[in-house]
Amino acid sequence: MEFNNKKLEKTSKLINYVIAIVLCGFLISLSSKFLDDIDQWKERPMVEEFTDLSLRNENNSEIAALEEKINLKREKISNLEKTVRIANSNYSKAKESYDNWLKARKTVGSPNEDKEVISRANQLDEIYKTQQEWELEIARVNEDIQDLYNQQKEFYEVIQQDEQRAYEEQEKAYRKYNLKIFLIRLAVILPLLLLGIFFIVKFRKHKYWPLFLGYILFSFYAFFFGLVPYLPSYGGYIRYTVGIILSIVFGIYAINKIRAFMERKKSELKESTRDRAKKVQTETA
């Protein structure tokens, strides 16, 4: 009979713990879902909210206008390069013709004094000068393009500075946003923790204690572990501070209980053996 009573007691405790754990698991799942949804109660600050759109549009318009000028300059360079290629081809042909003519010509006297030789040489020089002028023009246009690029760079720097300012302001707003969301979560979870502490104090002997125990485990988990993914940099201080306070409160409670138990045992030991035996018999009965 004694074995059956012990077995029944163990089975009863096991069932109670299973009930508490199952209830705790469902409560934890529900609280996790709820804590995640709190993030949607307020809109996250976006960088576009802090960007100076008029400044960006104005600078983008200037950049686009400069880009059109650059494209025109590039077209001009393309045409000039075609012209230079033609000039190079003409110069090469004229030079080859001049060299061939000079070799084939038979003349008496110095070639430097020959008028036709000088005339052909001058023509060749004119072609070369024209070629050089076109190449210089290409160089000047390239310089103009570089100047336009430098102007674009200035406008891009203005936009970049404004973006940097917008990101800094967004970061500040995001920290405030995280603080608000964390305080909302804390305002939800902290009362649950306090209620769990109340259940520990008031309902430890209740016949539905397994249900209260499941809630108590959930409340402690929700506060000390469920809030962890949402803690800002300073959130740990709140959790550890509450943990210290609870440790002190439960420590004082436990110390007082132990002292009361020790005092009661001392008073019992002072009683006579016969009185204690009667009390044991009464308690057993």
Side-chain angles (χ1 to χ4, degrees):
M1 189 68 182
E2 183 180 357
F3 172 77
N4 292 334
N5 287 336
K6 290 182 178 180
K7 186 175 181 180
L8 180 62
E9 184 179 357
K10 290 181 179 180
T11 304
S12 177
K13 288 182 179 181
L14 178 62
I15 293 173
N16 290 338
Y17 285 128
V18 170
I19 292 173
I21 292 172
V22 170
L23 178 61
C24 176
F26 281 112
L27 288 174
I28 288 173
S29 299
L30 178 62
S31 66
S32 299
K33 175 64 176 174
F34 181 74
L35 290 175
D36 288 338
D37 291 341
I38 290 177
D39 199 17
Q40 301 176 4
W41 291 7
K42 293 181 177 293
E43 293 185 1
R44 292 174 177 267
M46 306 299 292
V47 68
E48 289 79 8
E49 300 176 15
F50 309 97
T51 302
D52 191 342
L53 296 179
S54 60
L55 177 66
R56 171 171 289 193
N57 292 334
E58 180 180 351
N59 283 274
N60 284 332
S61 298
E62 294 293 339
I63 291 172
L66 291 172
E67 190 66 29
E68 291 180 2
K69 293 180 180 180
I70 290 173
N71 291 333
L72 292 175
K73 295 289 185 181
R74 285 174 177 169
E75 291 179 3
K76 186 176 181 180
I77 286 178
S78 179
N79 294 330
L80 289 172
E81 287 176 346
K82 292 179 182 178
T83 303
V84 169
R85 285 196 295 270
I86 293 173
N88 289 336
S89 178
N90 292 336
Y91 177 78
S92 297
K93 291 178 181 179
K95 182 70 167 58
E96 184 180 0
S97 176
Y98 173 77
D99 291 339
N100 293 334
W101 175 83
L102 191 61
K103 290 178 182 179
R105 184 178 181 278
K106 294 179 181 179
T107 182
V108 178
S110 175
N112 295 329
E113 297 176 358
D114 189 276
K115 291 182 178 181
E116 189 173 355
V117 172
I118 294 174
S119 175
R120 284 179 175 258
N122 290 334
Q123 291 178 2
L124 191 62
D125 288 340
E126 289 297 327
I127 295 174
Y128 180 76
K129 289 179 181 179
T130 302
Q131 174 192 352
Q132 294 298 310
E133 289 176 357
W134 289 121
E135 290 180 351
L136 289 174
E137 181 66 18
I138 290 176
R140 283 194 293 269
V141 175
N142 280 325
E143 290 179 358
D144 294 340
I145 291 176
Q146 186 60 45
D147 291 338
L148 294 174
Y149 275 131
N150 292 335
Q151 294 178 35
Q152 276 188 330
K153 184 179 178 181
E154 293 177 359
F155 289 115
Y156 278 123
E157 288 177 353
V158 172
I159 294 176
Q160 186 177 5
Q161 290 174 0
D162 182 68
E163 287 180 350
Q164 182 66 28
R165 178 196 56 79
Y167 279 119
E168 291 175 357
E169 292 186 7
Q170 183 209 18
E171 184 66 23
K172 294 178 182 178
Y174 193 70
R175 287 196 294 268
K176 293 180 181 179
Y177 165 83
N178 283 335
L179 175 59
K180 291 179 181 178
I181 297 299
F182 172 72
L183 291 177
I184 292 174
R185 291 187 173 109
L186 183 63
V188 173
I189 297 299
L190 185 58
L192 299 179
L193 176 65
L194 297 178
L195 184 60
I197 296 172
F198 175 76
F199 286 163
I200 293 176
V201 175
K202 295 294 184 180
F203 296 99
R204 286 179 302 160
K205 302 297 183 180
H206 200 278
K207 64 178 181 178
Y208 295 120
W209 169 245
L211 299 178
F212 290 110
L213 177 61
Y215 176 85
I216 291 167
L217 294 176
F218 149 72
S219 64
F220 276 82
Y221 175 87
F223 185 83
F224 289 100
F225 299 97
L227 282 177
V228 170
Y230 312 104
L231 289 177
S233 59
Y234 47 82
Y237 293 101
I238 298 175
R239 185 177 57 161
Y240 298 142
T241 301
V242 173
I244 292 171
I245 294 173
L246 292 179
S247 300
I248 294 173
V249 171
F250 281 113
I252 294 173
Y253 178 80
I255 291 171
N256 291 332
K257 284 292 183 180
I258 292 173
R259 285 184 175 179
F261 176 78
M262 295 298 294
E263 292 294 332
R264 189 169 62 252
K265 287 297 180 182
K266 288 181 180 179
S267 63
E268 290 178 357
L269 291 174
K270 292 179 181 178
E271 296 178 358
S272 63
T273 304
R274 181 179 297 177
D275 292 337
R276 278 184 289 163
K278 290 181 179 179
K279 186 178 293 186
V280 170
Q281 292 174 0
T282 302
E283 291 177 354
T284 303

